[in-house]
Every structure is written in C-alpha cells, then in structure tokens.
Amino acid sequence: MLYTEHIKDNKLFLRLYRKGKYTATEYFTAYYLKNNLPYNRFGITAGKKLGSAVVRNRAKRILREAYRKNEISMPIGYDIVFVARSGIIGKKTDDIEKVLLSKVIKAIRS
C-alpha cells in the first residue's frame, strides 16, 4: 500500500479501541486516531463470531481491497482499524467501498 503500514502490535489495536474515535456501519466498525506520522497505519480484525476461518479471511480480504482502492482519498496521519461485522458476509468489494467513502472518510475528516 502506498501511504500505509500494517498494524501488527496488539498495543496499538488496544490503544485505538480505548482512545480512538469510531464510526459503525452494518458491515464493519472503523476505529481511528491521529498518529502524527507522515503515513497511515492500518489493521483489520474479524472475530470468531463472524464464522469459520474461510468467512473471516474473505471479510478481511474485502476490507483490505476496499481500503487499497480508496487509499488516496484517505486523510494521512491516522491509525485505522476495521472490525468486520456479520453484515459483511456475502457482500462484494464495491458495496464496502461505497460505505467506506460515504461514512468512514467523512467521519475521519470531520
């Protein structure tokens, strides 16, 4: 990804859950927090309640691709974590992209 690094450290995930702002949609919840760096950091989680490993991995792939396609539109300097919800099952990347553009990017910029 062009302007993005992956979040792998559990401390960063927990910090976003505790201190970050969030916006919830029927497909996912996005937590975000300013990181004062010249790039974004990005993570995805999908809990076991979502379904089998196949379902969880597909949800993560869809979210990752929607983010990748709209990375240029994202404000720079944020930590962002997407938590997949059960509504994402059976959805296409295009559906998720529309929600990402209309709700998440608007919420981060405001």
Side-chain angles (χ1 to χ4, degrees), residues 41-53:
R41 292 186 291 192
F42 171 70
I44 302 173
T45 61
K48 283 192 173 184
K49 283 185 180 179
L50 196 60
S52 67

Side-chain angles (χ1 to χ4, degrees), residues 19-59:
K19 296 184 179 181
K21 297 178 182 176
Y22 71 94
T23 183
T25 69
E26 61 183 295
Y27 308 124
F28 59 87
T29 302
Y31 293 87
Y32 54 94
L33 186 64
K34 200 153 190 60
N35 64 13
N36 297 319
L37 297 172
Y39 53 87
N40 288 341
R41 292 186 291 192
F42 171 70
I44 302 173
T45 61
K48 283 192 173 184
K49 283 185 180 179
L50 196 60
S52 67
V54 174
V55 172
R56 294 192 307 268
N57 287 329
R58 175 158 172 73

Side-chain angles (χ1 to χ4, degrees), residues 71-90:
E71 184 177 15
I72 293 175
S73 306
M74 295 295 255
I76 295 190
Y78 283 89
D79 290 340
I80 303 165
V81 170
F82 290 111
V83 179
R85 298 174 91 181
S86 60
I88 201 167
I89 297 171

